[in-house]
Amino acid sequence: MGVFCPVLQSILGIILFLRMPYVVGNVGFWWMLIIIFICKSGTLLTTLSMSAIATNGKLRSGGSYYMLSWSLGPATGGAVGILFYFATTLSGSMYIIGAVETLKVASGFTLGPEALHMRLFSVFTLIIIIVINWFGMSWVAKTGVVFLSIVVLSIFSILIGLMGTGKLDWGFFKSNWDS
């Protein structure tokens, strides 16, 4: 629960979730699978490397930061750890904006101008996340499983919807660029 779900949530993150229909529309289903395979193989290699580092020794508290400084040395690990902290912070804001954009498109509900609407719902989402974190890591893990299930079901519904419309391009080298 503490490693598998967060890594899978990161792999199936908001970029993949929001941009998969766009990529399918531009290059076709099979090229989309090839593009995602190439991109996610880097994620897989990174995950396997971190798993190898984690299983080769006893990790103490500190999580990723301790693992980075332990495997790369204090100077390099500290520098990479600071970049990792900023990347995690920025990805949190990107996930909030992506979730709000998805809910806005799905529900069609708006509150005034778009900029005000996005900011209000982003702040509301951030407050919900802070409350979940305030209750502890067990709540974060439980809600993570729920949100991961929603994302996986949504991705499968996109693929099922493509098959149901008859617009799924089954030709391997044929795409919208060929027409």
Side-chain angles (χ1 to χ4, degrees), residues 85-103:
Y85 169 77
F86 285 126
T88 304
T89 303
L90 292 176
S91 70
S93 62
M94 182 185 68
Y95 287 135
I96 289 173
I97 291 172
V100 168
E101 181 182 338
T102 303
L103 291 174

Side-chain angles (χ1 to χ4, degrees), residues 10 20 24-25 28 40 48-49 55-56 72 76 78-79 89 99 109 117 126 128 134 141 151 174:
S10 176
M20 188 165 41
V24 169
K40 296 304 175 179
L48 291 175
S49 298
T55 56
N56 286 338
L72 300 175
T76 308
T89 303
F109 181 73
H117 166 80
L126 181 61
I128 291 172
W134 185 69
V151 168
K174 187 177 177 184

Side-chain angles (χ1 to χ4, degrees), residues 65 86 127:
Y65 305 106
F86 285 126
I127 290 170

Side-chain angles (χ1 to χ4, degrees), residues 37-49:
F37 175 76
I38 291 170
C39 294
K40 296 304 175 179
S41 63
T43 308
L44 176 68
L45 293 174
T46 304
T47 305
L48 291 175
S49 298

Side-chain angles (χ1 to χ4, degrees), residues 100-101 103-112 117-118 121:
V100 168
E101 181 182 338
L103 291 174
K104 178 185 165 280
V105 169
S107 68
F109 181 73
T110 58
L111 264 172
H117 166 80
M118 293 293 282
F121 282 109

